[in-house]
Amino acid sequence: MPLLSYRLDESHLVVELCDVVDLDNEATIERELLTLLPCCGPSMVIVDVVTPLLTPRALGVLLRVRGDAEQRGVSIAVVARYGTTREVLGAASLNRVLRVAYSLPGAELRSRGCRPGAEAPRKEGLRERLERRITPSDPAPPTARAVGPYADTSVPRFPGKR
């Protein structure tokens, strides 16, 4: 069973996962994904999960393929189009590990580390709004900043609540 794959551009390869991954086809799907991982081609592989059912075996395949891809210098992102798929990935706490996005354009943004490009204006965040309200008699704001590839775009799960 060959997986459908196509290129978005020279640095993004999209692989569609159309079948439910179970005991019978797990090894075949993993082998197909590993053969599609290039050694010197695109730097990003986007796995587009087309099926609404994401099994624990599929999570295992995605994590093993991600590990092999990291060794080859290739990044992996996952497109989860269905709510059930996103719930499974969220329950397993794999949203950031697998760079989960809702659409192909979102996965492209994840490949850039979720940071807006130079042409995109940056929205004023909570920190900037709070710093504007500080008066000279107030103590200095903390200098520690969030670091990591998702620091610029991370938002609280429940906005307004801490």
Side-chain angles (χ1 to χ4, degrees):
M1 140 191 73
L3 296 175
L4 177 65
S5 64
Y6 57 92
R7 290 186 185 262
L8 286 179
D9 54 26
E10 61 274 349
S11 63
H12 293 86
L13 175 71
V14 179
V15 180
E16 289 187 358
L17 183 60
C18 299
D19 294 334
V20 175
V21 180
D22 57 10
L23 181 62
D24 296 330
N25 62 4
E26 177 182 11
T28 306
I29 289 175
E30 184 174 351
R31 192 169 35 254
E32 287 273 335
L33 283 170
L34 290 175
T35 56
L36 289 172
L37 284 180
C39 59
C40 56
S43 59
M44 182 71 176
V45 173
I46 300 171
V47 179
D48 190 358
V49 181
V50 180
T51 178
L53 180 61
L54 194 64
T55 63
R57 294 203 178 267
L59 294 178
V61 167
L62 290 173
L63 288 172
R64 287 190 298 272
V65 168
R66 178 188 170 270
D68 286 351
E70 276 187 351
Q71 291 176 354
R72 298 180 189 190
V74 177
S75 297
I76 295 280
V78 174
V79 176
R81 297 178 186 271
Y82 293 97
T84 54
T85 307
R86 290 189 295 268
E87 286 177 17
V88 168
L89 289 165
S93 299
L94 295 175
N95 288 333
R96 288 190 177 182
V97 173
L98 292 175
R99 295 183 180 179
V100 177
Y102 297 166
S103 63
L104 285 175
E108 278 187 278
L109 288 175
R110 292 278 184 183
S111 72
R112 287 188 255 146
C114 273
R115 294 195 174 137
E119 68 280 354
R122 183 174 173 180
K123 292 183 180 178
E124 181 181 32
L126 178 63
R127 178 179 296 276
E128 287 83 11
R129 284 184 284 173
L130 289 174
E131 287 176 353
R132 250 190 311 126
R133 289 189 218 159
I134 295 176
T135 62
S137 63
D138 290 338
T143 57
R145 292 192 55 201
V147 294
Y150 306 105
D152 289 342
T153 58
S154 294
V155 293
R157 189 172 291 258
F158 301 104
K161 293 186 180 183
R162 291 191 174 239

